Amino acid sequence: MDEPRFLLVDGHGLAYRAFYALPELTAPDGTPVNAVLGFLNMLQKVLEERRPEGWGLFFDPKGPTARKEMYDAYKEGRRPTPEAFKVQLLLLLELLEALGHRVTLRSGVEADDGIAATASALAAEGDVLVLSADKDLLQVLAPGFRVCRPQKVVSEFRIYDEALFREEYGFAPQAVADYLALTGDSVDHIPGVPGIGDKGARGL
C-alpha cells in the first residue's frame, strides 16, 4: 500500500504548519512566503514519493461552519490569524490554481470534514492517503485509509494506519471523538471532563 490511489490534502492545516515550522521568508517585494514555500515543498515531496493516481486539496472557508453552529464556543479564544498568514493563503490558492491542482473550498464545511466525507466515498474505489497535521482525522483510519502526518520538520512524515494507531494510543481510531471529549482539546476550546487526562481517557 505504498502508492495510494488517491491523495487528499488538508490544505489549510498544512499551510499553517508550514507557516510556523519555517523561519520568516520574504519575496523581493517584501511579501511573506514561508508558508507558501513550506506547503509546496511538502506537497511536492509526497506527490513524488507516493505517486497517487489522483489528488485533491481542501481548504477551510471564510465565516462560520457547521461545527460552530453545533457548539457556539467552538474555537473560542483562539488567537487571531496572523496577517502574514492571511496574505500567503490567498497567494497559495492562486498558485495552486495556476499549477492545475484541484482545490475544494465549500462554504460552512471545514477542510477535514470534507476530507473525511470524500475519503469515505472513495474507500470502495481504492487506497486513500490523507496528508494532514490534524489529529482529528486519525479517527477515520480504516482498511484502505491512511493518514500521512508531517513531523517536527516539514521534510519528514509518519504514515498512520489502523494498526499503528492502536499500537500508539491503545484503542480503536473510531474512539478518538470519545477520547477528545474526555480529555478536552484546548485548540478547539473543547472543555473535557474535569480530572481526566490522557492516561485516564485511554483507560476508559
Side-chain angles (χ1 to χ4, degrees), residues 4 9 14 50 52-53 57 74 83 90 96 98 123 127 154 157 172 200:
V9 180
L14 211 63
R50 300 298 161 182
E53 290 182 23
L57 294 86
Y74 179 63
E83 290 300 320
L90 294 174
L96 291 172
D127 181 35
V154 296
F157 303 89

Side-chain angles (χ1 to χ4, degrees), residues 1-6 122-123 125-129 144-146:
M1 291 204 319
D2 286 339
E3 295 185 0
R5 186 170 182 188
F6 305 107
L122 291 174
E125 304 296 328
D127 181 35
V128 179
L129 179 66
F145 182 104
R146 296 173 294 162

Side-chain angles (χ1 to χ4, degrees), residues 148-177:
C148 179
R149 302 191 72 197
Q151 300 303 292
K152 290 184 179 179
V153 291
V154 296
S155 60
E156 296 180 8
F157 303 89
R158 190 167 196 197
I159 296 182
Y160 282 82
D161 57 13
E162 193 171 3
L164 178 58
F165 179 89
R166 285 179 177 271
E167 180 182 326
E168 284 202 4
Y169 286 84
F171 55 84
Q174 294 76 17
V176 168

Side-chain angles (χ1 to χ4, degrees), residues 2-186:
D2 286 339
E3 295 185 0
R5 186 170 182 188
F6 305 107
L7 173 69
L8 306 179
V9 180
D10 177 8
H12 214 103
L14 211 63
Y16 225 91
R17 175 83 173 203
F19 179 74
Y20 285 106
L22 295 183
E24 292 183 11
L25 300 169
T26 59
D29 65 356
T31 302
V33 294
N34 57 324
V36 174
L37 177 64
F39 178 95
L40 292 177
N41 283 345
M42 282 190 280
L43 176 62
Q44 190 62 32
K45 183 178 177 65
V46 172
L47 287 174
E48 290 178 354
E49 292 183 351
R50 300 298 161 182
R51 305 178 70 83
E53 290 182 23
W55 59 90
L57 294 86
F58 295 73
F59 283 81
D60 292 338
K62 290 183 178 180
T65 64
R67 293 188 184 191
K68 181 69 173 177
E69 293 176 3
M70 287 187 287
Y71 176 50
D72 189 58
Y74 179 63
K75 292 186 177 180
E76 191 174 276
R78 181 180 286 193
R79 290 182 301 173
T81 302
E83 290 300 320
F85 178 76
K86 291 180 181 179
V87 170
Q88 294 186 74
L89 187 60
L90 294 174
L91 179 58
L92 181 58
L93 289 170
E94 290 179 12
L95 281 171
L96 291 172
E97 183 178 355
L99 291 169
H101 291 295
R102 177 171 291 180
V103 174
T104 298
L105 203 160
R106 184 178 174 186
S107 177
V109 180
E110 288 196 17
D112 49 358
D113 289 330
I115 287 172
T118 303
S120 298
L122 291 174
E125 304 296 328
D127 181 35
V128 179
L129 179 66
V130 170
L131 175 57
S132 175
D134 193 338
K135 64 182 180 299
D136 292 355
L137 280 166
L138 293 173
Q139 66 188 291
V140 289
L141 287 170
F145 182 104
R146 296 173 294 162
V147 175
C148 179
R149 302 191 72 197
Q151 300 303 292
K152 290 184 179 179
V153 291
V154 296
S155 60
E156 296 180 8
F157 303 89
R158 190 167 196 197
I159 296 182
Y160 282 82
D161 57 13
E162 193 171 3
L164 178 58
F165 179 89
R166 285 179 177 271
E167 180 182 326
E168 284 202 4
Y169 286 84
F171 55 84
Q174 294 76 17
V176 168
D178 297 325
Y179 169 81
L180 292 175
L182 291 168
T183 63
D185 187 345
S186 59

